[in-house]
């Protein structure tokens, strides 16, 4: 069930993001447009989840190894999103 839900999320999220962005622009709602910009990172995390579930079900990966692999793939997009959303600080700190 989890694999099906993760695959559906991975397939549907990009289309929902585009629809939300379009509706936000038409309504003049900046928060909806901003929220639609977060959806690609959610789509990425759905892909990582799907990969982990498939590896767990096919190879029997569980416990530490799968968690370390998942954690190493999730960090990058979070840092990129933070850089886009937060203003730069003086002095590069």
């Amino acid at each position: 069930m989890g694999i099906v839900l993760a695959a559906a999320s991975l397939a549907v999220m990009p289309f929902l993001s585009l629809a939300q962005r379009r509706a936000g622009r038409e309504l003049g709602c900046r928060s909806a447009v901003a929220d639609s910009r977060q959806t690609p990172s959610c789509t990425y995390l759905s892909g990582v989840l799907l990969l982990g579930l498939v590896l767990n079900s096919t190879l029997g990966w569980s416990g530490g190894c799968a968690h370390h692999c998942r954690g190493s793939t999730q960090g990058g997009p979070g840092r990129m999103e933070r850089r886009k959303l937060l203003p730069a600080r003086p002095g590069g700190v």
Side-chain angles (χ1 to χ4, degrees), residues 26-48:
E26 289 175 4
L27 295 172
C29 182
R30 292 183 359 199
S31 64
V33 173
D35 188 50
S36 73
R37 290 186 185 134
Q38 282 295 112
T39 308
S41 60
C42 295
T43 304
Y44 175 81
L45 292 175
S46 294
V48 171

Side-chain angles (χ1 to χ4, degrees), residues 45-88:
L45 292 175
S46 294
V48 171
L49 171 67
L50 179 62
L51 179 65
L53 291 173
V54 168
L55 287 174
N56 189 25
S57 67
T58 57
L59 302 177
W61 282 17
S62 62
C65 183
H67 294 301
H68 293 300
C69 292
R70 184 191 64 213
S72 65
T73 60
Q74 286 179 341
R79 283 190 295 276
M80 288 186 292
E81 287 295 320
R82 186 178 63 227
R83 284 186 192 137
K84 286 192 294 186
L85 295 175
L86 294 178

